[in-house]
Amino acid sequence: MRIATWNVNSLNARMPRVEAWLADVSPDVLCLQETKLADVAFPHEEFAALGYESVHHGQGRWNGVAILSRVGLTDPVAGFRDGGAPDADARLVWATCGDIRIASAYVPNGRSLDDDHYRYKLDWLARLLAVLESSHVPDAPLMILGDWNIAPADRDVWDPSQFIGATHTSGPERTALAAIEAWGLTDVFRLCHDEAGLYSWWDYRGGNFHRRRGMRIDLIEATSPVAERVDYVVVDRNARKGERPSDHAPVLVDLNGH
């Protein structure tokens, strides 16, 4: 079973690339972030023609998350659905695909450490943890895939000195991610790759992709019943090349059937 995540940075702008990538890579499940579409504009029929059921949670020109599946898609849920006020942003959608409960997540960026959006980011992560604690168990198959906007460790950014006092690497957000993982999730990329210098996002400016100046912020987090099935994890850097790419590359994991 092949499961992937990709922040496409506007599905309208990237749809031909997404269709070509699906044909080439053939994931069973693909989580998308930053679709930047309203729900009524999401191309369900186009994806159905490629063999994928889909669920989308969007709000127009910002944010937007989706799950595509060719192994079944049941019990879709948009947002936290925790009894609290709805999230102002479309950043989280859930569905069961095959035997795994899957979430496509677009964690807030945070902008800067003194911005209200940074507090929103920390509150959002705390709310996600609370949902896990109240509605899920770590011994059930669960995956949260997406753009976490957090580099888990210094080896996940090209130059840690360039991020001092900035979002994506700050102590509180890394602590929040660690708390979510302590609940029972594993960053499956690190089951297969231990080295530094492997990234999933590169700024469009300054030729950063070709200069290998990036961050690994697109994460696949899984509970142990899924993590134990991991055969292979890769960042598909080829999808970051060519004409009009997203600034993110897809990350995919292959699971064995055990």
Side-chain angles (χ1 to χ4, degrees), residues 101-174:
R101 189 65 174 165
I102 288 177
S104 178
Y106 179 40
V107 176
N109 177 288
R111 298 176 185 161
S112 66
L113 302 190
D114 59 355
D115 195 292
D116 287 344
H117 202 257
Y118 181 72
R119 171 48 55 188
Y120 168 53
K121 180 178 193 172
L122 297 180
D123 290 345
W124 197 97
L125 291 163
R127 191 172 181 181
L128 178 60
L129 176 58
V131 167
L132 291 173
E133 291 174 335
S134 64
S135 304
H136 300 273
V137 291
D139 58 357
L142 171 73
M143 302 176 75
I144 304 177
L145 306 90
D147 177 1
W148 287 75
N149 270 313
I150 302 169
D154 282 354
R155 62 179 168 168
D156 297 309
V157 298
W158 69 273
D159 182 355
S161 70
Q162 300 296 313
F163 295 87
I164 294 172
T167 59
H168 298 81
T169 64
S170 72
E173 57 197 298
R174 282 180 169 173

Side-chain angles (χ1 to χ4, degrees), residues 6-228:
W6 193 1
N7 179 323
V8 292
N9 189 19
S10 175
L11 188 56
N12 270 343
R14 239 61 70 183
M15 187 64 179
R17 294 188 66 118
V18 172
E19 291 176 309
W21 191 83
L22 288 170
D24 183 46
V25 178
S26 297
D28 296 294
V29 179
L30 174 60
C31 294
L32 300 174
Q33 301 85 42
E34 268 201 285
T35 62
K36 298 182 180 178
L37 293 174
D39 285 337
V40 294
F42 189 79
H44 293 283
E45 291 183 1
E46 288 88 335
F47 287 127
L50 299 174
Y52 290 90
E53 297 178 77
S54 55
V55 60
H56 180 254
H57 177 40
Q59 64 185 96
R61 55 187 298 214
W62 308 112
N63 308 312
V65 286
I67 301 172
L68 315 180
S69 174
R70 61 180 189 184
V71 291
L73 193 157
T74 59
D75 193 20
V77 170
F80 291 103
R81 196 72 66 86
D82 57 1
D87 190 352
D89 293 347
R91 295 184 173 274
L92 186 65
V93 67
W94 310 74
T96 299
C97 304
D99 61 346
I100 303 173
R101 189 65 174 165
I102 288 177
S104 178
Y106 179 40
V107 176
N109 177 288
R111 298 176 185 161
S112 66
L113 302 190
D114 59 355
D115 195 292
D116 287 344
H117 202 257
Y118 181 72
R119 171 48 55 188
Y120 168 53
K121 180 178 193 172
L122 297 180
D123 290 345
W124 197 97
L125 291 163
R127 191 172 181 181
L128 178 60
L129 176 58
V131 167
L132 291 173
E133 291 174 335
S134 64
S135 304
H136 300 273
V137 291
D139 58 357
L142 171 73
M143 302 176 75
I144 304 177
L145 306 90
D147 177 1
W148 287 75
N149 270 313
I150 302 169
D154 282 354
R155 62 179 168 168
D156 297 309
V157 298
W158 69 273
D159 182 355
S161 70
Q162 300 296 313
F163 295 87
I164 294 172
T167 59
H168 298 81
T169 64
S170 72
E173 57 197 298
R174 282 180 169 173
T175 297
L177 174 60
I180 290 170
E181 291 179 337
W183 171 83
L185 293 173
T186 297
D187 176 359
V188 301
F189 184 84
R190 287 302 179 195
L191 296 177
C192 299
H193 306 280
D194 192 50
E195 63 268 39
L198 300 174
Y199 311 126
S200 63
W201 174 89
W202 303 260
D203 197 315
Y204 286 124
R205 298 167 293 183
N208 280 1
F209 178 69
H210 301 289
R211 299 168 74 183
R212 297 186 176 272
R213 293 183 172 185
M215 294 193 290
R216 190 178 71 89
I217 56 176
D218 300 271
L219 310 178
I220 299 176
E221 299 279 351
T223 55
S224 57
V226 179
E228 291 166 357

